[in-house]
């Protein structure tokens, strides 16, 4: 049977989602706990990858377990969360149809980037703290966000090794609430470091470092060196993953 895990985690202590040889990851931490609990080596496949320091309000992963006895573990969710560190929580575990894949079945992924407009100790590892005297113009940020949806090739915002550069951005918007500047973006897929590169570039637009024309030219140039800085990872949150209806087995 195939099972889905709905996961939330604070990414500051992890070197991203994906398993690495020398550094601790979210995926490895969950696999170790599942394997111990189920007394069998368990490998999980995530809906995507988050970089070092990036957080997830909602992440999904699937794993196969060929014994139906897992359904008898009425308190498996409680036990799994007991074994996991405090910065990872399993929200739900449920069986899905065999054809469902955590990564490839997903329709879209929604991310949120947070910028604290001033020094805020309580957002130290959950936002980019904007301490510059340069004012960020919200209207200009949203002009940049609208431009994003015109294009499909995002190689100028990819860090390295981006062989397939086409992405479909469905929504992108900036807003301010309680002195926190938020950027929400929804797309079918993302390139490596793409969102952080977009944020860094649009912020340069918002403070007048580049013009709208400059921003548009970055797309046509297809050159990462012309885009802006990469915004700090700690301000980025994976907030939602959308799937087709009726993926559940029962």
């Amino acid at each position: 049977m195939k099972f889905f895990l709905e996961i939330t985690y604070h990414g500051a202590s992890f070197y991203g989602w994906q398993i690495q040889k020398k550094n601790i990851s979210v995926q490895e931490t969950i696999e170790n706990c599942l394997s111990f609990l189920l007394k069998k080596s368990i490998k999980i496949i995530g809906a995507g990858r988050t970089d070092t320091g990036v957080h997830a309000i909602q992440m999904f992963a699937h794993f196969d377990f060929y014994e139906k006895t897992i359904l008898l573990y009425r308190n498996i969710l409680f036990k799994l969360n007991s074994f996991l560190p405090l910065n990872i929580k399993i929200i739900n575990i449920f069986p899905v149809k065999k054809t469902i894949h955590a990564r490839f079945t997903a329709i879209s992924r929604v991310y949120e980037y947070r910028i604290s407009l001033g020094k805020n100790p309580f957002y130290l590892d959950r936002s980019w703290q904007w301490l510059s005297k340069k004012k960020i113009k919200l209207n200009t940020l949203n002009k940049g966000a609208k431009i994003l949806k015109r294009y499909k090739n995002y190689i100028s915002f990819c860090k390295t090794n981006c062989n397939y550069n086409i992405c479909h951005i469905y929504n992108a918007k900036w807003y301010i609430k309680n002195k926190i500047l938020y950027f929400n973006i929804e797309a079918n897929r993302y390139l490596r470091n793409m969102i952080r590169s977009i944020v860094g570039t649009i912020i340069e637009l918002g403070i007048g470092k580049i013009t709208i024309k400059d921003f548009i030219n970055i797309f046509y140039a297809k050159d990462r060196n012309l885009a802006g800085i990469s915004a700090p990872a700690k301000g980025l949150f994976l907030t939602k993953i959308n799937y087709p209806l009726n993926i559940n087995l029962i």
Side-chain angles (χ1 to χ4, degrees):
M1 297 182 69
K2 182 174 287 185
F3 292 87
F4 255 38
L5 295 168
E6 184 179 0
I7 310 158
T8 185
Y9 56 85
H10 189 292
S13 301
F14 298 102
Y15 286 80
W17 165 266
Q18 190 176 22
I19 288 180
Q20 302 178 31
K21 291 183 178 179
K22 297 182 179 180
N23 300 313
I24 189 66
S25 68
V26 179
Q27 182 182 8
E28 180 184 9
T29 304
I30 296 173
E31 285 186 355
N32 289 342
C33 290
L34 266 176
S35 298
F36 177 79
L37 182 60
L38 299 177
K39 298 178 174 59
K40 184 176 180 179
S41 179
I42 301 294
K43 301 297 180 183
I44 64 175
I45 297 177
R49 302 172 183 176
T50 54
D51 294 336
T52 299
V54 174
H55 316 290
I57 294 174
Q58 184 185 64
M59 166 67 95
F60 285 99
H62 79 253
F63 68 95
D64 294 314
F65 191 71
Y66 298 100
E67 300 176 30
K68 293 183 179 180
T69 51
I70 192 174
L71 296 176
L72 301 177
Y73 284 57
R74 294 182 179 179
N75 58 349
I76 185 173
L77 193 61
F78 175 81
K79 287 185 176 181
L80 186 53
N81 280 312
S82 296
F83 286 124
L84 287 167
L86 293 175
N87 48 9
I88 301 177
K89 179 180 178 180
I90 307 300
I91 300 171
N92 197 8
I93 177 171
F94 54 94
V96 295
K97 298 173 183 176
K98 291 182 180 180
T99 55
I100 302 302
H101 191 285
R103 178 183 175 188
F104 298 124
T105 307
I107 297 172
S108 70
R109 297 155 178 85
V110 182
Y111 278 86
E112 179 177 272
Y113 197 90
R114 301 177 184 179
I115 299 175
S116 177
L117 298 176
K119 189 174 182 180
N120 189 332
F122 297 102
Y123 280 87
L124 182 62
D125 59 359
R126 295 183 291 128
S127 71
W128 177 7
Q129 303 227 358
W130 186 257
L131 305 179
S132 172
K133 292 182 179 180
K134 294 180 179 179
K135 186 177 180 180
I136 303 172
K137 296 181 179 179
L138 182 61
N139 289 341
T140 307
L141 296 181
N142 277 314
K143 287 179 182 178
K146 288 181 179 179
I147 290 171
L148 289 175
K149 293 186 285 185
R150 297 181 193 172
Y151 299 94
K152 301 293 183 289
N153 191 319
Y154 286 87
I155 193 166
S156 290
F157 301 96
C158 180
K159 188 174 183 180
T160 55
N161 302 323
C162 295
N163 296 322
Y164 183 67
N165 310 306
I166 304 303
C167 304
H168 298 280
I169 293 181
Y170 306 128
N171 296 294
K173 185 178 180 180
W174 293 83
Y175 68 96
I176 296 175
K177 184 178 180 181
N178 297 327
K179 295 185 178 180
I180 303 295
L181 179 60
Y182 294 89
F183 175 58
N184 285 332
I185 183 169
E186 179 182 4
N188 66 324
R189 64 188 297 271
Y190 301 91
L191 308 181
R192 186 181 179 193
N193 205 238
M194 174 176 156
I195 300 174
R196 292 165 57 197
S197 299
I198 286 175
V199 169
T201 306
I202 296 184
I203 286 297
E204 290 189 0
L205 180 66
I207 62 175
K209 186 175 181 180
I210 63 173
T211 65
I212 291 291
K213 184 178 180 180
D214 294 331
F215 184 56
I216 292 172
N217 286 338
I218 290 171
F219 288 89
Y220 291 106
K222 298 180 181 179
D223 184 352
R224 176 63 184 90
N225 293 319
L226 295 183
I229 64 168
S230 180
K234 59 186 178 180
L236 185 58
F237 293 74
L238 173 59
T239 60
K240 188 176 182 181
I241 303 174
N242 294 307
Y243 289 95
L245 297 176
N246 301 322
I247 67 170
N248 295 41
L249 182 63
I250 53 176

